[in-house]
Amino acid sequence: MRNIGSHPSPIESSRILIIDDSPIELFRMEALLKGHHFETLCCNDPNEALQILLVEHIDIVLCDWQMPKLSGLELCQTISQSPAMGAPYFIMLTGRKERADMIAAMDAGADDFICKPAASEELRARIQAGLRRLDRERSMIVCQEKLLHFGE
């Protein structure tokens, strides 16, 4: 189960971290998401992304696979193994189209996999699906905490 703590965050106020080493792709993704009224943070360095995740509440990570220094796959593994990063919903965004790549990303901890170029409406729909899942998980935790306190 995800370690999502006590950060209930309604879908309307979700925060999306976009990680891509291409400034053009970062700009494109940010424009697409802002067009759908999502709050975005952007970075082109996976190590910077790790620092952001330690101090900011992030609901969704949208990450490119192929980057220098640390690949999106390695970043995904690091995030999924670190409870301190808040367990965001992780979407791997990549030009890779092989089934084996999708499987590798999901095995590394990715929650979803989108092939570039991502269509605006597909991206919106997948992000909203991830946010609904996070919202359900958070609601379950609140219910579990209430049940635990009810017995006291």
Side-chain angles (χ1 to χ4, degrees):
M1 176 166 246
R2 293 173 176 272
N3 176 21
I4 51 183
S6 59
H7 258 95
S9 172
I11 289 175
E12 305 83 48
S13 64
S14 62
R15 299 181 80 199
I16 301 170
L17 176 60
I18 307 166
I19 310 156
D20 199 308
D21 61 316
S22 165
I24 294 169
E25 192 64 20
L26 270 179
F27 179 79
R28 190 178 87 76
M29 287 287 102
E30 183 176 32
L32 281 175
L33 295 176
K34 285 190 174 189
H36 291 295
H37 308 290
F38 291 114
E39 181 182 346
T40 61
L41 287 87
C42 297
C43 70
N44 62 0
D45 180 347
N47 290 310
E48 179 186 347
L50 291 172
Q51 294 306 309
I52 290 170
L53 284 160
L54 287 171
V55 297
E56 299 282 342
H57 173 72
I58 301 295
D59 296 293
I60 304 275
V61 170
L62 185 60
C63 183
D64 183 33
W65 184 317
Q66 293 176 251
M67 295 183 287
K69 300 179 190 172
L70 189 67
S71 74
L73 194 66
E74 294 165 320
L75 181 66
C76 182
Q77 290 170 326
T78 300
I79 293 169
S80 68
Q81 295 169 358
S82 176
M85 298 201 186
Y89 189 87
F90 194 102
I91 301 174
M92 186 70 73
L93 182 65
T94 180
R96 294 172 177 243
K97 295 177 178 17
E98 298 298 320
R99 182 176 305 272
D101 295 324
M102 187 267 304
I103 292 167
M106 303 298 261
D107 283 346
D111 297 293
D112 203 348
F113 184 94
I114 302 175
C115 292
K116 289 181 181 179
S120 177
E121 286 302 311
E122 177 186 8
L123 188 59
R124 178 203 52 78
R126 288 175 182 257
I127 287 171
Q128 287 182 326
L131 292 170
R132 284 192 304 270
R133 184 167 132 199
L134 288 173
D135 193 47
R136 282 191 301 268
E137 288 177 3
R138 290 174 178 141
S139 293
M140 283 180 18
I141 287 174
V142 168
C143 288
Q144 288 172 343
E145 288 173 353
K146 286 180 181 177
L147 286 172
L148 286 172
H149 294 301
F150 181 74
E152 293 177 352

